[in-house]
Amino acid sequence: MAASQTLASVDFSGCMMGAAAVAELSKFIPSMAALTELDLSLNDIGVDGAKALAAAVPGSALRCIVAGNRRSRIPVNDPDVTQLDCRGHGLGPAEAMLVAAAISTNPELLN
């Protein structure tokens, strides 16, 4: 699979993707220079899939990951974000791991 240099947004919501599929997809994310939004909501990506995705975030152009059953928008690699409010999102372990990735890409969130 060749990485796209022009694809800005991908919506895989509800595509029955599991951890293995997300891990495979995550291998290509750092080389997709235009990809700024990835929607993986309504999939059971599991902790292993979230871990692979979280590892790909720092080297990517991603600015937003949409995840979970409530389609939570998680900003990543975005220096303009100064706070995250996760109340009422019903985040599970996988989504919490993606929030941790968001925090790791934005030191401002640690203050």
Side-chain angles (χ1 to χ4, degrees):
M1 173 180 335
S4 172
Q5 299 303 308
T6 58
L7 191 61
S9 178
V10 177
D11 184 348
F12 285 120
S13 62
C15 287
M16 299 182 357
M17 292 180 74
V22 174
E24 193 62 31
L25 172 66
S26 296
K27 294 176 185 177
F28 295 93
I29 289 173
S31 62
M32 299 178 79
L35 185 64
T36 58
E37 183 167 320
L38 178 62
D39 187 341
L40 292 171
S41 62
L42 308 173
N43 287 294
D44 186 15
I45 68 171
V47 171
D48 289 339
K51 192 180 296 186
L53 183 55
V57 166
S60 74
L62 278 174
R63 300 287 254 183
C64 180
I65 298 171
V66 184
N69 291 335
R70 295 188 183 171
R71 302 181 61 97
S72 299
R73 297 181 65 79
I74 304 168
V76 296
N77 294 321
D78 190 344
D80 295 331
V81 174
T82 58
Q83 59 182 312
L84 290 174
D85 184 355
C86 298
R87 291 177 290 181
H89 285 268
L91 302 179
E95 293 82 21
M97 187 162 291
L98 296 176
V99 169
I103 292 169
S104 76
T105 63
N106 187 348
E108 192 66 30
L109 292 173
L110 295 174
N111 295 329

